[in-house]
């Protein structure tokens, strides 16, 4: 019990000494040991790294999981060391709703069949998103969190200890300076005419006491200086390790970019496949009137079309004298048979219609090649 009280009193005294030294420094009444410029640069670099790593980490969390409630739930599960439950992505949920609706609307009908195809694609997009989230969390978020919760906490702890030892060192310097001033005053020779002989003994005794106090203060100063130098070297090594942290984060950033590129590429491929499937499905609606193309001759009301799509021979089709238009290709398209024309994104082609042709298709020409092209892959130009 007595030991605990002494330890508590010693700790309180040390805390009070540091508080006094810190206050006097702020008031400009005490000197402060300054770190060298290189050390200060290392500290600034470390603070900058922590600041931006934390911002990037938080915003990446928002990107991967926009729902704040879900983020809090995952955080609590991690802190409690529980397994985070698997979540259904929004795309997967949308795909399931579309497929359920398709069954209600009859898969044999155009709308139901299209809902089934789109729903299946949305599910694949959701699976790709889930894989991307998992990969990003492991390869990018985890290393950033390990730095903030591991390396940075160690650096902060050692910096606080260094600051405390600096306060102790400066307090020792102050005590040494005060002791030397007192010793000099005590050693001043007395006036032989006004001072009685008894005061010579008192003056010599005081001088000896202050000399002993100076030696004690200088001994404490040497100890404080040694501890401060040792801690400064430890802290310097940790701060220099920030360079290794940058290299590690750079590698993680490359992995994050690769994961994003793979995810978006996979999504693009899924959407291209969906567009091709939808392009081959019969639609129950005609082209919008704003995108309609004038035919060389209008079919009179009530008359039947002289040409059917199934019997259309591409090599016999001739472009009309008027009514052709330019169109820009939106996506790559691979011809399914010899009657279709393969397309490349962003190229310009000439398109027109022929009587009796399915409204979802046009005749496209580029150079000496000619064939059917799906309207959904084109942007009709005025």
């Amino acid at each position: 019990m007595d030991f605990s009280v002494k330890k508590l009193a010693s700790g309180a005294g040390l805390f009070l000494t540091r508080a006094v030294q810190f206050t006097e420094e702020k008031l400009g009444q005490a000197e402060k040991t300054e770190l060298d410029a290189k050390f200060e640069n290392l500290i600034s670099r470390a603070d900058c790294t922590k600041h931006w790593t934390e911002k990037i980490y938080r915003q990446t969390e928002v990107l991967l999981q926009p729902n704040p409630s879900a983020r809090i739930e995952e955080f609590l599960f991690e802190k409690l060391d529980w397994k985070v439950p698997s979540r259904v992505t929004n795309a997967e949920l949308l795909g399931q709703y579309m497929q359920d609706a398709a069954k209600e609307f009859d898969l044999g009908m155009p709308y139901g069949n299209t809902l089934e195809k789109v729903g299946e694609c949305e599910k694949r997009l959701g699976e790709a998103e889930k894989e991307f989230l998992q990969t990003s969390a492991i390869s990018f978020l985890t290393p950033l969190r390990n730095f903030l919760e591991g390396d940075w906490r160690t650096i902060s702890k050692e910096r606080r200890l260094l600051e405390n030892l600096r306060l102790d060192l400066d307090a020792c310097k102050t005590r040494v300076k005060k002791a030397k001033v007192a010793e000099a005053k005590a050693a001043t020779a007395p006036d032989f005419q006004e001072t009685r002989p008894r005061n010579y003994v008192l003056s010599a005794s005081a001088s000896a006491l202050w000399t002993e106090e100076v030696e004690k203060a200088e001994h404490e100063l040497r100890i404080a200086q040694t501890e401060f130098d040792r801690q400064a070297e430890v802290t310097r090594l940790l701060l220099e390790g920030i360079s290794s942290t940058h290299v590690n984060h750079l590698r993680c950033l490359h992995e994050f970019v690769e994961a994003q590129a793979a995810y978006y590429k996979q999504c693009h491929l899924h959407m291209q496949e969906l567009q091709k499937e939808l392009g081959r499905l019969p639609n129950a609606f005609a082209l919008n009137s704003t995108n309609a193309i004038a035919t060389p001759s209008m079919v009179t009301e009530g008359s039947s079309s002289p040409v059917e799509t199934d019997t259309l021979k591409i090599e016999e089709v001739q472009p009309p004298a008027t009514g052709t238009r330019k169109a820009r290709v939106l996506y790559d398209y691979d011809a399914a048979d010899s009657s279709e024309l393969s397309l490349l994104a962003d190229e310009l082609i000439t398109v027109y219609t022929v009587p009796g042709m399915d409204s979802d298709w046009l005749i496209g020409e580029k150079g000496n090649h000619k064939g059917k092209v799906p309207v959904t892959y084109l942007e009709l130009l005025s």
Side-chain angles (χ1 to χ4, degrees), residues 211-223:
T211 300
E212 183 180 348
E213 186 67 23
V214 169
E215 291 177 353
K216 181 181 177 181
E218 287 179 342
H219 177 68
E220 292 177 353
L221 175 60
R222 286 192 294 270
I223 294 176

Side-chain angles (χ1 to χ4, degrees), residues 280-327:
R280 296 188 178 96
L281 292 179
N283 285 338
F285 59 89
L287 284 174
N288 189 289
S289 58
T290 58
N291 288 336
I293 302 175
T295 58
S297 59
M298 302 301 295
V299 181
T300 58
E301 184 178 356
S303 63
S304 61
S305 174
V307 184
E308 296 296 334
T309 304
D310 295 338
T311 61
L312 182 66
K313 295 182 179 180
I314 298 299
E315 61 273 9
E316 297 178 0
V317 175
Q318 297 297 325
T322 59
T324 60
R325 292 177 65 177
K326 290 291 184 180

Side-chain angles (χ1 to χ4, degrees), residues 28-232:
Q29 299 175 358
E31 295 182 0
K32 176 180 177 181
T33 299
E34 299 292 343
L35 301 171
D36 59 83
K38 183 178 179 182
F39 201 99
E40 292 288 353
N41 289 335
L42 289 175
I43 292 177
S44 299
R45 187 162 174 253
D47 288 337
C48 183
T49 300
K50 185 261 180 183
H51 172 74
W52 288 111
T53 299
E54 193 169 38
K55 279 187 171 291
I56 292 171
Y57 175 77
R58 298 303 177 197
Q59 191 57 39
T60 305
E61 277 190 323
V62 174
L63 172 68
L64 300 181
Q65 178 51 269
N67 188 343
S69 300
R71 291 201 303 273
I72 294 175
E73 182 180 350
E74 291 175 359
F75 174 78
L76 293 176
F77 271 92
E78 289 180 1
K79 290 302 179 183
L80 296 173
D81 201 18
W82 293 350
K83 182 179 179 181
V84 180
S86 178
R87 295 182 181 277
V88 178
T89 63
N90 292 328
E92 288 179 309
L93 190 59
L94 175 60
Q96 185 61 51
Y97 287 165
M98 286 184 171
Q99 288 185 326
D100 292 344
K103 295 175 184 177
E104 293 289 335
F105 293 138
D106 187 0
L107 293 175
M109 300 299 292
Y111 184 43
N113 194 6
T114 302
L115 277 174
E116 173 66 24
K117 298 292 184 182
V118 176
E120 183 180 351
C121 180
E122 291 295 335
K123 279 190 170 182
R124 290 199 296 267
L125 293 177
E127 292 172 359
E129 180 185 358
K130 190 178 293 184
E131 183 179 353
F132 165 66
L133 297 179
Q134 183 178 5
T135 303
S136 299
I138 295 174
S139 63
F140 191 60
L141 276 184
T142 300
L144 297 185
R145 184 171 62 247
N146 289 342
F147 168 73
L148 294 172
E149 297 181 356
D151 296 349
W152 181 252
R153 287 185 179 180
T154 302
I155 292 174
S156 299
K157 177 183 176 182
E158 297 301 330
R159 283 177 61 183
R160 286 194 299 269
L161 181 56
L162 178 64
E163 178 64 13
N164 289 337
L165 292 176
R166 185 199 64 75
L167 291 172
D168 294 342
L169 175 62
D170 289 337
C172 288
K173 289 180 179 180
T174 302
R175 284 198 296 270
V176 168
K177 181 183 291 187
K178 290 180 179 180
K180 286 184 177 181
V181 171
E183 181 188 29
K185 287 182 179 180
T188 303
D191 189 342
F192 289 97
Q193 296 180 352
E194 297 182 2
T195 307
R196 288 178 291 181
R198 185 172 62 88
N199 291 340
Y200 293 119
V201 177
L202 296 175
S203 176
S205 177
S207 178
L209 289 175
W210 281 114
T211 300
E212 183 180 348
E213 186 67 23
V214 169
E215 291 177 353
K216 181 181 177 181
E218 287 179 342
H219 177 68
E220 292 177 353
L221 175 60
R222 286 192 294 270
I223 294 176
Q225 185 69 57
T226 301
E227 292 179 350
F228 174 78
D229 292 341
R230 184 187 302 115
Q231 183 60 33

